[in-house]
Amino acid sequence: MRLILASVLMLAATGSALADPDVAKGETAFKKCMACHAIGPDAKVKVGPPLNGIVGAKWAHFEGYAYSADIKDGAAAGKVWDEATLDNYLTNPKVLAPKGKMAFAGIKNEDERKDLIAFLAQFNADGSKK
């Protein structure tokens, strides 16, 4: 009986980690990014590059944007913005790019990061939705 109760409590405690990402909540979370980044068919460079097609893209993939040396080095090393790397970067950008340009404290809430990544993942490189 104790084993069953412990299992149920553990599942309840990790329930949010098991929840599917919510794209609508991710769109709301993207508002934190909008001052510096754009997404969608008409996205242009702002302070940062457009984020179209970012999930699965190589680092420094947007032509014509002046990336920091950290990001360029990651590109030269063949790094890709997969979901795990984006999650790490969004938690605290200075972990992956200590000398990077991104002046953003990060998103501490795991569910919010996952929702944001799900929102970003729906955009192709040309800004159209998948």
Side-chain angles (χ1 to χ4, degrees):
M1 184 67 160
R2 285 185 183 177
L3 182 59
I4 292 171
L5 181 58
S7 297
V8 169
L9 289 173
M10 195 176 327
L11 271 176
T14 60
S16 66
L18 298 175
D20 288 333
D22 185 324
V23 172
K25 287 181 180 178
E27 184 173 9
T28 299
F30 184 72
K31 290 179 182 178
K32 294 178 180 179
C33 312
M34 288 176 62
C36 299
H37 296 282
I39 199 160
D42 299 322
K44 304 274 187 271
V45 172
K46 291 182 161 186
V47 174
L51 297 179
N52 291 332
I54 191 71
V55 180
K58 294 179 181 179
W59 286 29
H61 73 284
F62 188 79
E63 292 290 326
Y65 182 75
Y67 289 97
S68 67
D70 288 346
I71 299 298
K72 288 179 187 176
D73 291 346
K79 291 187 178 182
V80 173
W81 289 115
D82 58 26
E83 290 182 18
T85 303
L86 279 167
D87 185 64
N88 191 12
Y89 189 69
L90 290 169
T91 301
N92 180 357
K94 296 300 181 189
V95 169
L96 290 181
K99 297 177 184 171
K101 295 179 183 181
M102 193 148 127
F104 181 66
I107 299 172
K108 303 307 176 212
N109 182 288
E110 179 181 3
D111 289 336
E112 186 177 3
R113 289 191 314 272
K114 297 210 180 304
D115 294 341
L116 176 56
I117 292 166
F119 171 73
L120 295 173
Q122 68 180 340
F123 290 90
N124 293 308
D126 65 359
S128 64
K129 285 191 176 179
K130 296 179 180 177

